Amino acid sequence: MSDEVLLTPEHPLVVSPGPHLHAAESTAKIMWWVNGTLAPAALWGAFVFGPKALVVIACCVAGAVAAEWGCCAGMKRRNTVSDGSAFCTGLLLALTIGAQVQWWQALLGGAFAVLIGKVIFGGLGFNLFNPALVGRAFMMATFPLAMTSGWISPRPWFSLAPDALTTATPLNVLKEHGLAAAVKVVTSPEGLWNGLVLGFRPGSIGEVSVVLVLLGGAVLVARGIIRLWIPLSVVAGTALATAFTGAAGLHLLSGGLWLGAFYMATDYVTSPTTRNGQVVFGLIIGLLTGLIRVYGGYPEGICYAILLANTLVPALNLWFRPRRTAIAGSPS
């Protein structure tokens, strides 16, 4: 902290029991790095689905930031909008929903994510669940038709296709009509590469480009912001749970699996702290995702899988805590 910062009621000196950890990266720096790596996937989603996607992204972010600012002002606390966490919550929420959602629904979802997902628990670092997924679960319960139907077909900005052409996502078609029909959705009319890899297919704004989500995740790994234990175990768990269906490849490359694995399951606050705990945590998320997709009522399962696994984090931290060993010759 700078020497110019004075001890005031807004900036108290807090003395807490050890151990004390110091990290070179501040919370704000980490959050803005996460936001930056999400930007390509967000912009690509806006390109694929047109201006409506930009409106949804802007409203989710505006709702989350406004809720953060309002709570700080109402509780007379230091304004934390600049740390980027509220912006990150709104952006992640926007990437998990479709461009067909109304602007006011997105605005309400963003505000709910911050208020109920974070502020009510005491703020950043105290939340039990991923705030963006809390917002998404709220929108699924409150606006089920808008969230699960009327998916906008890919319509790049330069396209002359009609505005309101809607269809179902590959996972929706897979659940209702089988693998052959789902593959047709992915490959028609753009072909397998454009449909499955580049993301010219119906779906949530941020899930359609697996490549850009992976690139963003790779940057986070290279920066040391996240580790690969959780994302890899999430993907492995989903592959195991869906292997017997004959559609494991479609499950791995469709839906929000990669976005959830790299950006939500790895949330510092709501994931285990030990490596073994993180591997088990990721496997649980992956297995639950596969089970929900195959046997559940919704075709997508990563959101509820992460929220359910968040409840196990205290137990995982306890079960996999490192053993304390005394150094030979030193008092124990």
Side-chain angles (χ1 to χ4, degrees):
M1 181 177 292
S2 169
D3 293 334
E4 297 178 359
V5 177
L6 301 178
L7 296 180
T8 65
E10 290 76 24
H11 301 89
L13 175 63
V14 178
V15 179
S16 60
H20 301 283
L21 300 177
H22 173 74
E25 301 276 13
S26 65
T27 299
K29 193 172 182 180
I30 291 173
M31 286 298 171
W32 286 114
W33 263 101
V34 174
N35 292 331
T37 59
L38 283 171
L43 293 175
W44 183 255
F47 172 74
V48 170
F49 295 115
K52 288 185 176 179
L54 271 184
V55 173
V56 170
I57 293 172
C59 289
C60 282
V61 172
V65 171
E68 180 93 357
W69 182 87
C71 289
C72 291
M75 294 186 290
K76 300 186 184 306
R77 292 183 177 177
R78 181 175 62 89
N79 195 307
T80 53
V81 169
S82 60
D83 68 15
S85 62
F87 188 99
C88 185
T89 296
L91 183 57
L92 278 173
L93 172 63
L95 298 187
T96 65
I97 61 181
Q100 78 279 4
V101 172
Q102 297 296 315
W103 67 268
W104 60 271
Q105 295 170 337
L107 193 72
L108 191 59
F112 188 93
V114 168
L115 288 173
I116 307 301
K118 187 173 74 173
V119 173
I120 200 171
F121 291 104
L124 184 64
F126 296 95
N127 49 294
L128 301 180
F129 305 97
N130 183 283
L133 292 180
V134 170
R136 188 180 190 278
F138 162 74
M139 294 182 70
M140 284 291 291
T142 311
F143 316 116
L145 286 179
M147 290 287 288
T148 59
S149 61
W151 297 93
I152 296 176
S153 292
R155 181 182 177 277
W157 286 56
F158 56 78
S159 171
L160 298 178
D163 286 342
L165 187 62
T166 62
T167 184
T169 68
L171 290 180
N172 269 314
V173 176
L174 176 64
K175 195 167 192 63
E176 296 177 4
H177 304 290
L179 179 58
V183 171
K184 188 176 181 181
V185 171
V186 171
T187 58
S188 177
E190 301 287 349
L192 185 62
W193 173 259
N194 287 342
L196 200 56
V197 179
L198 295 184
F200 286 101
R201 54 183 166 81
S204 298
I205 296 171
E207 73 180 41
V208 293
S209 178
V210 174
V211 173
L212 292 178
V213 171
L214 281 175
L215 285 176
V219 172
L220 295 183
V221 173
R223 289 279 307 172
I225 294 175
I226 66 171
R227 295 182 177 179
L228 278 173
W229 304 115
I230 293 178
L232 291 182
S233 53
V234 169
V235 174
T238 305
L240 284 173
T242 58
F244 67 94
T245 65
L250 194 64
H251 279 292
L252 293 180
L253 293 175
S254 298
L257 180 67
W258 295 93
L259 186 66
F262 275 95
Y263 285 96
M264 296 175 185
T266 55
D267 183 354
Y268 289 166
V269 183
T270 59
S271 61
T273 55
T274 64
R275 184 183 64 184
N276 290 340
Q278 291 173 354
V279 171
V280 174
F281 177 72
L283 285 173
I284 291 173
I285 292 173
L287 291 171
L288 285 175
T289 299
L291 290 175
I292 293 172
R293 285 184 177 185
V294 175
Y295 297 108
Y298 292 114
E300 177 58 280
I302 187 70
C303 169
Y304 292 107
I306 294 176
L307 290 175
L308 289 171
N310 287 158
T311 65
L312 301 176
V313 170
L316 292 173
N317 283 334
L318 178 63
W319 296 339
F320 294 100
R321 62 182 175 183
R323 291 186 176 181
R324 181 180 298 174
T325 56
I327 301 174
S330 65
S332 60

